[in-house]
Amino acid sequence: MMRKKKSFIPALRKAAAGILLLVILLSCAACAKDGGDSTLQPTDSQGQEHPNEGDLSDYYSGPDNREYFDIPAYIQKSSFVGEKVTVAMITPSEENATDFRSYVVFEDEPIETEHGTFRPLQAGIYQCVYTYALEGMKYRFSYNLEVTVKDSPVFLDDPVLPAAFVEGKTYPLPAVEAYDYGNQKAAAVTVYAVCGGETVPMDASGLRIGQNHAGDTVTITWKAGDSGEAVLERKVPVIAIGSGNDIRFAELFVGSGWNEKKALDDGVHLLTTGDATATLLNPMIANSTEYRFSFGNDDQAERIVFTMTAYHDPAVSVTIGFEKGRGSSGEGKIILNGTEEKNYTYSAGNALYVRYSAVSKQFLDAEGNLLFAPERDSSGHAFNGFPGGLVVVSWRVENVYGLCDLRIEKIGAQTLNANTRDLLAPALYYNSFTGLYQLGDEIVVTGIHGVDMVDPNAEIKVSLFAGVGQNLTPVEGTFENGVFRYTPTAPGYYTIRFQSTDSSGNTATSMRQLCVYDQAKPQIQVEKDLTETAKPNDELTLPAASATDNESVTIELFVIYPSGQMRMLQRGESIAQQTFQVMELGTYCFRIVATDASGNSTMTDLNVCVSADGGK
């Protein structure tokens, strides 16, 4: 969903600064009788004024065009104040659509969303709007979300938990708050946890997971309100780590329907006599990650369905089915999202490969040959990649007619067997944030954490640098409880680096560039007044002038003659005192213009009226 953007982009304003200055100077050639300060209006590269923040006039009006959008069967149209709402994933039905926008509006103001979700803070009607352009026409669809006040407390937090708990370790428990909007007061919250029919010990350091619980599930329950009428529940599986940091990889897959899971030298073997699903606990970075799997010696299932689902938006999912039928080898099919298919040759024991390229949005085999370039995801919506770059990966065996052995052999750089050490880096993620900030705004990044399927307590570091590329200068921010904060003191480009390292030394790194721009106008100081009247041939003493700003400033002095002609007298970091002889009858305008590095400009006019009697 679209977030509110700041109005002025420094790079565009710099490009327009010279043209802008000339246009304004010429337009003011006929000087006013009274001098004064005025501010130059920043523009974009086409010389158009930027819209005000939240201006939706171009796309907010017009009738709905339902037939031009792909609309899911179910849309959430009611919720409660404070509860998280997921906005419907609606996309253009036309392939050549441009300028697609989507936003939530409440009382004519845009509402910020995170990964298609938001928490309404007021009761009323929220409008979800989708627009795009096609061949000069604009199309629009919208629906209303009715938000009311709930008669029980609402949880204000979505607790961030590891993908799995390792037996014998202690985990900090996320703080969860609740609010009773009906009575306008905070609600008390209690919490308890159960695993394998036993209460999980809990103290100030967190949850203490006992030994011998691998394969069990921890159920954590929060209750809010005087009688615990509001309930929030989360479940986390428990896994085990072998001695010497060796991993029992079979415990890293959760699912249903399996008779046996074991790790052998040629991969993880999942055995079943019926249809079954296995999901890898750790979210994976989508781009160019290779997955290798196969039927084992017992291959009595007709197909393996491989699925990649966006971690940040589970509505975005792509499935690839490998269908061999009831033979061990021969001609079969490979099927995209259950609809598009092509022929594929199978042979007993040979591995299947899938590799996804985020650049081309294509699925490839081990040699880089194209498998599919999906235009739509498994729900039928336009496929534009996996939002956030992280995916949850799962396998399913279908039409099992005997004993089936699903063998998962490789994930990215990690070859899976009974004695392989941990080589998988943690998956690193954070809530989305804007890349544009006005000087004085606080940069806040929330939800920063790493998920590692072996070491859920992966260490997180966040660093901020002034500059980009190789020219980086560290600046000090604060990072606590998954939240990074920094208030820039100077405009320019910054680089933020997120880093997560697990106990085996595997590190994941993510970089983002930020732009901090200055919207403050320079302040001009003129040392003394200039006479307002003079006679022909009088010599004027033009006063010195300077400008102050929070970045570098260029100051210029122009004279605009009564005839309308204009000439620059000085340009630099300051204006020195100088003499100037007036010759023509009429008004001379001495214009001082200060422009900072971000393109913000201010001008001051000093007007002198020249007459035969000197104004007497």
Side-chain angles (χ1 to χ4, degrees):
M1 300 297 291
M2 186 188 75
R3 301 187 60 182
K4 285 176 67 177
K5 301 290 187 183
K6 300 293 182 182
S7 298
F8 304 109
I9 303 176
L12 297 177
R13 295 172 59 202
K14 287 182 181 179
I19 298 173
L20 173 65
L21 181 60
L22 180 60
V23 169
I24 291 184
L25 288 171
L26 290 175
S27 67
C28 297
C31 298
K33 187 170 184 179
D34 297 323
D37 291 341
S38 62
T39 303
L40 306 188
Q41 173 65 43
T43 67
D44 63 18
S45 56
Q46 277 71 48
Q48 301 296 318
E49 288 189 4
H50 284 272
N52 296 326
E53 268 192 15
D55 183 3
L56 305 175
S57 57
D58 283 348
Y59 287 88
Y60 185 52
S61 60
D64 278 358
N65 309 103
R66 184 183 184 92
E67 65 272 21
Y68 290 95
F69 290 84
D70 287 334
I71 302 171
Y74 171 76
I75 296 177
Q76 181 182 359
K77 293 186 176 181
S78 63
S79 187
F80 297 103
V81 173
E83 284 197 348
K84 182 179 286 188
V85 175
T86 299
V87 180
M89 186 176 179
I90 295 174
T91 56
S93 60
E94 302 296 322
E95 292 184 0
N96 298 321
T98 60
D99 202 18
F100 175 61
R101 302 187 187 186
S102 57
Y103 36 76
V104 178
V105 180
F106 179 70
E107 295 182 351
D108 295 331
E109 290 294 326
I111 303 298
E112 291 190 2
T113 63
E114 292 282 353
H115 302 301
T117 65
F118 73 102
R119 292 181 184 271
L121 300 180
Q122 299 180 61
I125 301 298
Y126 291 71
Q127 192 172 39
C128 303
V129 185
Y130 307 79
T131 65
Y132 70 90
L134 178 67
E135 298 176 352
M137 299 291 290
K138 293 179 180 178
Y139 299 96
R140 175 186 187 274
F141 176 76
S142 66
Y143 69 90
N144 290 339
L145 172 74
E146 183 180 6
V147 176
T148 56
V149 178
K150 198 174 187 179
D151 57 6
S152 61
V154 173
F155 289 99
L156 304 180
D157 307 281
D158 189 7
V160 176
L161 296 166
F165 292 142
V166 176
E167 61 179 9
K169 290 194 174 185
T170 299
Y171 295 86
L173 196 62
V176 174
E177 296 180 344
Y179 192 80
D180 187 338
Y181 286 91
N183 296 307
Q184 292 293 300
K185 66 177 184 178
V189 177
T190 59
V191 60
Y192 63 91
V194 176
C195 180
E198 303 175 0
T199 300
V200 179
M202 190 182 310
D203 55 27
S205 58
L207 291 174
R208 289 184 282 117
I209 310 300
Q211 296 288 352
N212 302 317
H213 277 292
D216 290 337
T217 297
V218 176
T219 301
I220 308 171
T221 304
W222 289 267
K223 290 188 175 183
D226 296 337
S227 57
E229 57 267 32
V231 177
L232 176 65
E233 187 177 274
R234 292 290 182 269
K235 295 185 178 183
V236 181
V238 180
I239 64 173
I241 299 178
S243 60
N245 206 32
D246 293 339
I247 305 163
R248 300 174 189 171
F249 274 104
E251 300 297 340
L252 302 179
F253 297 89
V254 295
S256 60
W258 301 104
N259 301 76
E260 186 178 354
K261 296 187 291 183
K262 57 186 178 182
L264 301 176
D265 288 341
D266 57 353
V268 173
H269 288 228
L270 306 175
L271 290 94
T272 183
T273 54
D275 292 6
T277 300
T279 301
L280 181 65
L281 284 171
N282 210 50
M284 302 297 298
I285 297 172
N287 187 32
S288 298
T289 299
E290 177 187 355
Y291 304 92
R292 188 174 74 205
F293 49 95
S294 67
F295 290 103
N297 293 329
D298 298 304
D299 61 358
Q300 294 177 326
E302 293 186 5
R303 76 177 66 91
I304 298 174
V305 179
F306 173 78
T307 302
M308 293 175 67
T309 302
Y311 179 82
H312 290 298
D313 186 357
V316 180
S317 181
V318 173
T319 66
I320 298 179
F322 294 86
E323 184 165 332
K324 67 174 183 60
R326 295 206 170 193
S328 296
S329 60
E331 288 297 316
K333 295 184 182 297
I334 178 171
I335 306 168
L336 174 68
N337 295 328
T339 56
E340 182 181 347
E341 62 181 50
K342 60 174 64 174
N343 292 332
Y344 199 83
T345 301
Y346 293 88
S347 57
N350 280 8
L352 308 173
Y353 294 85
V354 174
R355 189 165 72 243
Y356 172 73
S357 170
V359 176
S360 63
K361 300 181 178 62
Q362 296 177 340
F363 290 85
L364 313 171
D365 65 14
E367 286 74 39
N369 300 315
L370 176 67
L371 293 177
F372 291 107
E375 296 180 356
R376 299 191 177 276
D377 62 20
S378 58
S379 299
H381 299 122
F383 178 68
N384 295 307
F386 296 101
L390 292 180
V391 291
V392 175
V393 181
S394 64
W395 293 259
R396 179 171 175 81
V397 291
E398 295 182 346
N399 293 352
V400 176
Y401 54 91
L403 179 62
C404 176
D405 172 12
L406 171 64
R407 191 172 302 174
I408 301 174
E409 304 170 14
K410 186 175 182 180
I411 301 172
Q414 183 75 75
T415 300
L416 304 183
N417 59 53
N419 300 304
T420 302
R421 293 182 180 275
D422 177 20
L423 299 178
L424 283 177
L428 177 63
Y429 57 95
Y430 40 82
N431 293 332
S432 63
F433 59 99
T434 180
L436 271 177
Y437 295 88
Q438 181 181 329
L439 188 64
D441 287 350
E442 185 181 33
I443 298 171
V444 180
V445 186
T446 61
I448 306 169
H449 61 293
V451 176
D452 187 82
M453 58 185 177
V454 175
D455 177 21
N457 289 323
E459 179 185 11
I460 302 293
K461 291 183 179 179
V462 183
S463 306
L464 186 66
F465 304 88
V468 294
Q470 301 297 318
N471 186 25
L472 299 178
T473 302
V475 295
E476 289 294 330
T478 61
F479 177 54
E480 294 180 351
N481 300 321
V483 179
F484 176 80
R485 297 179 182 274
Y486 176 72
T487 302
T489 57
Y493 288 95
Y494 290 77
T495 299
I496 186 168
R497 181 178 68 197
F498 305 93
Q499 203 166 52
S500 178
T501 304
D502 65 20
S503 59
S504 300
N506 303 302
T507 298
T509 302
S510 176
M511 310 279 278
R512 276 283 305 273
Q513 289 185 3
L514 313 175
C515 181
V516 177
Y517 63 92
D518 173 26
Q519 198 175 332
K521 302 178 290 293
Q523 300 297 312
I524 296 174
Q525 295 84 35
V526 180
E527 286 193 359
K528 60 182 181 181
D529 294 336
L530 177 64
T531 181
E532 295 181 359
T533 60
K535 295 185 294 183
N537 299 318
D538 280 357
E539 190 171 80
L540 306 178
T541 300
L542 305 182
S546 59
T548 58
D549 196 69
N550 47 32
E551 57 183 328
S552 60
V553 181
T554 299
I555 188 168
E556 298 162 306
L557 173 62
F558 299 85
V559 59
I560 304 175
Y561 294 88
S563 63
Q565 293 182 328
M566 180 178 65
R567 181 164 67 94
M568 180 184 287
L569 301 179
Q570 291 189 51
R571 184 177 191 274
E573 295 180 355
S574 62
I575 299 297
Q577 178 177 294
Q578 73 172 78
T579 58
F580 184 89
Q581 189 174 30
V582 293
M583 305 294 291
E584 304 175 34
L585 294 174
T587 299
Y588 283 77
C589 177
F590 297 95
R591 174 159 293 167
I592 302 169
V593 179
T595 305
D596 66 17
S598 294
N600 302 297
S601 295
T602 303
M603 69 182 183
T604 295
D605 290 345
L606 305 176
N607 296 322
V608 178
C609 184
V610 179
S611 60
D613 60 359
K616 295 180 180 178

